[in-house]
Amino acid sequence: MSPRSDAPILVRLDDVTMHYGRGRDAIQAIDTVSLDIRKGEFIAVVGPSGCGKSSLMKLISGLHPASSGFVTVEDRPVKGPLKSVGMAFQASNLLPWRTVVDNVLLPLEIVQPHRSKIRRERAAYKAKAEALLAQVGLAGFTDKFPWQLSGGMQQRTSICRALVHEPDILMLDEPFGALDAFTREELWCALRDIQQARGVTVMLVTHDLREAVFLADTVYVMSNRPGKIVKAQPIDLPRPRDLDVTYTQPFQDLVHELRSHIGGKH
Amino acid sequence: MRLKDAGITVVAPVLFTVLLFALWEAGCKLFAVAPTVLPAPSAIWAAYLQFQKPIIENSLYTLWNTLIGFAIATVFGLLLGIAVGWHKAVYAAIYPVLIGFNSVPKVAVVPVLILWFGVGAVPAIITAFLISFFPIVVNVATGLATTEPELEDVLRALGASKTDILWNVGLPRTMPYLFASLKIAITLAFVGTVLSETVAANRGIGNVMMIASGNFDVPLVFAGLFILAILGVGLYAIFSLIELKVTGWAQRKTEFAMV
Ligand SMILES: Nc1ncnc2c1ncn2[C@@H]1O[C@H](COP(=O)(O)OP(=O)(O)O)[C@@H](O)[C@H]1O
Ligand SMILES: [Mg+2]
């Protein structure tokens, strides 16, 4: 149903459960989740606080093992950190001793094959990072330090850092949660455009249903802990989407529909 | 505004120090305090001029031993701090011993060191080392332990090894903690050397002060105290400057965190 339903499957979760800790004290974070993410698909995961959204991200990126079930990426079982994931969080977590462009270059100093080339070809890599930063509107800020940037700009930088090594999957954990409403909408558009341009697969964790509906091809609603998927909602709004779409009836209907699946008082 | 700030930070301490000495001098004169109890600054200065050569020689000797002990403490403290911050098991294993060791008054250790190594530079260097490495270990371990877990996730998801994370994030962000501890450690190292010299030594400013006090030459004792204070302030200032140069970014960190 979603616009990308013909693309090959990149991530597959099959009856996956996940616990923190062992034995009696173990906390179950994820309960029998099954879902597929197609290549180039933009999925959003929404749900109440503490329901296991971040845990789901850790599971797929291989940062935390499943207790049962299967997680596969490109048909290979996930056994450890994937190395082809870009992550960004609510806090930008930039390194304050590095300039903006040097922050963006950090992943290239870690991931092969860039790691062994970056010393020799620093100028080329730097140009690439600067182009990426220009794409999100940070052209004049590449040599600034993080503290010289606004919160929104820091978050743009953080997303560039997550994208610079051209990961297969971009994982964003409430990336706009700390921003004001206007900045947030600006960044929705920046993310929309950059995903459009690069065709990267995105998993976005968010509290904001409008954000999820505006950006995603499919929205998954999770229940209270232990997190179960209670609703998978394809978003058939045509692309490219303009901010105006958020004021249309079909958009509002989708938001209402999703809201009705989230626990708590109405 | 800038100029005014600089004026305050330079003028205020100088003024205060001058005032303190003036009051001291006047008090001694006014109440005719015996120089064997509390010598006036002028008497201390006179004692310094009289014994200038041995004072400087012995101070340099003490300074040298302090710096050696401090250098060993820095290397050892950094390595142990990394080990403690590296893994919970190392932390659990080492920490109680470390705390216990730090609680032992170092005065009690000096006689043992002298028993083992004889009177000389070695006990002074070891005392300086023993007394000053602890804050370095604690600060380095704290710096490493407080690395944001999300930042670690970002790097681990890229396939970064523990060494990668240590090198790219852990150590750089620990630098402000390290330099803060070095300022404290250098002052403590001084205390260690002089402590050892006052227990048993044949050279060093601590030794000079012990001899002077045996001869009831109180102005000379005070001259020694002043030398120690000046060296302490000087070393502290040098390390503050290095800190500012190396970790200037951290001065902005609070502002950074607020955005
Ligand atoms: N490292 C951890 N150790 C133990 N429990 C954890 C850990 N991380 C998360 N949890 C627990 O797992 C549940 C899900 O957490 P999380 O995935 O972070 O939720 P969300 O991102 O949806 O707010 C929460 O109840 C949380 O307390
Ligand atoms: Mg979370």
Side-chain angles (χ1 to χ4, degrees), chain B residues 64-77:
Chain B
W64 182 238
N65 286 339
T66 303
L67 289 179
I68 295 175
F70 171 72
I72 300 171
T74 306
V75 174
F76 181 80

PDB file of all heavy atoms in Angstrom, chain B residues 64-77:
ATOM      1  N   TRP B  64      62.767  20.286  41.900  1.00  0.00           N
ATOM      2  CA  TRP B  64      63.134  19.216  40.976  1.00  0.00           C
ATOM      3  C   TRP B  64      62.510  17.880  41.412  1.00  0.00           C
ATOM      4  O   TRP B  64      61.875  17.183  40.618  1.00  0.00           O
ATOM      5  CB  TRP B  64      64.654  19.144  40.888  1.00  0.00           C
ATOM      6  CG  TRP B  64      65.172  18.122  39.928  1.00  0.00           C
ATOM      7  CD1 TRP B  64      66.009  17.089  40.211  1.00  0.00           C
ATOM      8  CD2 TRP B  64      64.895  18.036  38.521  1.00  0.00           C
ATOM      9  NE1 TRP B  64      66.261  16.355  39.076  1.00  0.00           N
ATOM     10  CE2 TRP B  64      65.593  16.913  38.024  1.00  0.00           C
ATOM     11  CE3 TRP B  64      64.111  18.796  37.651  1.00  0.00           C
ATOM     12  CZ2 TRP B  64      65.531  16.525  36.686  1.00  0.00           C
ATOM     13  CZ3 TRP B  64      64.056  18.403  36.313  1.00  0.00           C
ATOM     14  CH2 TRP B  64      64.752  17.292  35.844  1.00  0.00           C
ATOM     15  N   ASN B  65      62.697  17.545  42.698  1.00  0.00           N
ATOM     16  CA  ASN B  65      62.121  16.287  43.211  1.00  0.00           C
ATOM     17  C   ASN B  65      60.601  16.288  43.094  1.00  0.00           C
ATOM     18  O   ASN B  65      59.990  15.269  42.769  1.00  0.00           O
ATOM     19  CB  ASN B  65      62.520  16.072  44.673  1.00  0.00           C
ATOM     20  CG  ASN B  65      63.974  15.666  44.795  1.00  0.00           C
ATOM     21  OD1 ASN B  65      64.559  15.170  43.827  1.00  0.00           O
ATOM     22  ND2 ASN B  65      64.562  15.878  45.960  1.00  0.00           N
ATOM     23  N   THR B  66      60.011  17.455  43.367  1.00  0.00           N
ATOM     24  CA  THR B  66      58.548  17.567  43.252  1.00  0.00           C
ATOM     25  C   THR B  66      58.094  17.270  41.831  1.00  0.00           C
ATOM     26  O   THR B  66      57.153  16.507  41.611  1.00  0.00           O
ATOM     27  CB  THR B  66      58.094  18.989  43.638  1.00  0.00           C
ATOM     28  OG1 THR B  66      58.549  19.273  44.955  1.00  0.00           O
ATOM     29  CG2 THR B  66      56.579  19.112  43.575  1.00  0.00           C
ATOM     30  N   LEU B  67      58.802  17.868  40.876  1.00  0.00           N
ATOM     31  CA  LEU B  67      58.398  17.695  39.473  1.00  0.00           C
ATOM     32  C   LEU B  67      58.558  16.243  39.026  1.00  0.00           C
ATOM     33  O   LEU B  67      57.716  15.721  38.283  1.00  0.00           O
ATOM     34  CB  LEU B  67      59.204  18.634  38.574  1.00  0.00           C
ATOM     35  CG  LEU B  67      58.834  20.111  38.719  1.00  0.00           C
ATOM     36  CD1 LEU B  67      59.700  20.983  37.818  1.00  0.00           C
ATOM     37  CD2 LEU B  67      57.353  20.350  38.420  1.00  0.00           C
ATOM     38  N   ILE B  68      59.616  15.572  39.514  1.00  0.00           N
ATOM     39  CA  ILE B  68      59.789  14.157  39.152  1.00  0.00           C
ATOM     40  C   ILE B  68      58.626  13.338  39.714  1.00  0.00           C
ATOM     41  O   ILE B  68      57.990  12.554  39.018  1.00  0.00           O
ATOM     42  CB  ILE B  68      61.137  13.610  39.675  1.00  0.00           C
ATOM     43  CG1 ILE B  68      62.295  14.333  38.978  1.00  0.00           C
ATOM     44  CG2 ILE B  68      61.234  12.110  39.422  1.00  0.00           C
ATOM     45  CD1 ILE B  68      63.664  13.948  39.519  1.00  0.00           C
ATOM     46  N   GLY B  69      58.356  13.537  41.008  1.00  0.00           N
ATOM     47  CA  GLY B  69      57.249  12.804  41.633  1.00  0.00           C
ATOM     48  C   GLY B  69      55.922  13.088  40.949  1.00  0.00           C
ATOM     49  O   GLY B  69      55.127  12.183  40.694  1.00  0.00           O
ATOM     50  N   PHE B  70      55.744  14.347  40.603  1.00  0.00           N
ATOM     51  CA  PHE B  70      54.508  14.768  39.945  1.00  0.00           C
ATOM     52  C   PHE B  70      54.383  14.150  38.552  1.00  0.00           C
ATOM     53  O   PHE B  70      53.298  13.696  38.152  1.00  0.00           O
ATOM     54  CB  PHE B  70      54.490  16.298  39.857  1.00  0.00           C
ATOM     55  CG  PHE B  70      53.383  16.851  39.024  1.00  0.00           C
ATOM     56  CD1 PHE B  70      52.074  16.819  39.483  1.00  0.00           C
ATOM     57  CD2 PHE B  70      53.639  17.393  37.775  1.00  0.00           C
ATOM     58  CE1 PHE B  70      51.044  17.331  38.703  1.00  0.00           C
ATOM     59  CE2 PHE B  70      52.627  17.906  36.998  1.00  0.00           C
ATOM     60  CZ  PHE B  70      51.323  17.867  37.464  1.00  0.00           C
ATOM     61  N   ALA B  71      55.495  14.100  37.830  1.00  0.00           N
ATOM     62  CA  ALA B  71      55.470  13.511  36.486  1.00  0.00           C
ATOM     63  C   ALA B  71      55.087  12.032  36.563  1.00  0.00           C
ATOM     64  O   ALA B  71      54.255  11.549  35.789  1.00  0.00           O
ATOM     65  CB  ALA B  71      56.822  13.677  35.802  1.00  0.00           C
ATOM     66  N   ILE B  72      55.693  11.327  37.520  1.00  0.00           N
ATOM     67  CA  ILE B  72      55.349   9.907  37.684  1.00  0.00           C
ATOM     68  C   ILE B  72      53.869   9.775  38.039  1.00  0.00           C
ATOM     69  O   ILE B  72      53.159   8.931  37.502  1.00  0.00           O
ATOM     70  CB  ILE B  72      56.226   9.259  38.780  1.00  0.00           C
ATOM     71  CG1 ILE B  72      57.705   9.367  38.405  1.00  0.00           C
ATOM     72  CG2 ILE B  72      55.843   7.793  38.980  1.00  0.00           C
ATOM     73  CD1 ILE B  72      58.651   8.951  39.516  1.00  0.00           C
ATOM     74  N   ALA B  73      53.401  10.644  38.941  1.00  0.00           N
ATOM     75  CA  ALA B  73      51.998  10.591  39.364  1.00  0.00           C
ATOM     76  C   ALA B  73      51.067  10.837  38.186  1.00  0.00           C
ATOM     77  O   ALA B  73      50.008  10.213  38.071  1.00  0.00           O
ATOM     78  CB  ALA B  73      51.742  11.623  40.459  1.00  0.00           C
ATOM     79  N   THR B  74      51.465  11.753  37.284  1.00  0.00           N
ATOM     80  CA  THR B  74      50.606  12.072  36.137  1.00  0.00           C
ATOM     81  C   THR B  74      50.467  10.858  35.213  1.00  0.00           C
ATOM     82  O   THR B  74      49.359  10.467  34.844  1.00  0.00           O
ATOM     83  CB  THR B  74      51.180  13.259  35.345  1.00  0.00           C
ATOM     84  OG1 THR B  74      51.376  14.346  36.243  1.00  0.00           O
ATOM     85  CG2 THR B  74      50.257  13.676  34.234  1.00  0.00           C
ATOM     86  N   VAL B  75      51.615  10.261  34.866  1.00  0.00           N
ATOM     87  CA  VAL B  75      51.587   9.096  33.974  1.00  0.00           C
ATOM     88  C   VAL B  75      50.812   7.944  34.623  1.00  0.00           C
ATOM     89  O   VAL B  75      49.877   7.384  34.045  1.00  0.00           O
ATOM     90  CB  VAL B  75      53.023   8.648  33.635  1.00  0.00           C
ATOM     91  CG1 VAL B  75      52.994   7.349  32.826  1.00  0.00           C
ATOM     92  CG2 VAL B  75      53.734   9.742  32.858  1.00  0.00           C
ATOM     93  N   PHE B  76      51.196   7.637  35.861  1.00  0.00           N
ATOM     94  CA  PHE B  76      50.562   6.527  36.566  1.00  0.00           C
ATOM     95  C   PHE B  76      49.072   6.798  36.792  1.00  0.00           C
ATOM     96  O   PHE B  76      48.232   5.927  36.567  1.00  0.00           O
ATOM     97  CB  PHE B  76      51.285   6.345  37.907  1.00  0.00           C
ATOM     98  CG  PHE B  76      50.743   5.214  38.733  1.00  0.00           C
ATOM     99  CD1 PHE B  76      51.111   3.909  38.478  1.00  0.00           C
ATOM    100  CD2 PHE B  76      49.857   5.472  39.775  1.00  0.00           C
ATOM    101  CE1 PHE B  76      50.601   2.866  39.247  1.00  0.00           C
ATOM    102  CE2 PHE B  76      49.345   4.446  40.542  1.00  0.00           C
ATOM    103  CZ  PHE B  76      49.726   3.133  40.276  1.00  0.00           C
ATOM    104  N   GLY B  77      48.756   8.018  37.202  1.00  0.00           N
ATOM    105  CA  GLY B  77      47.358   8.374  37.479  1.00  0.00           C
ATOM    106  C   GLY B  77      46.495   8.297  36.224  1.00  0.00           C
ATOM    107  O   GLY B  77      45.369   7.814  36.258  1.00  0.00           O
TER     108      GLY B  77
END
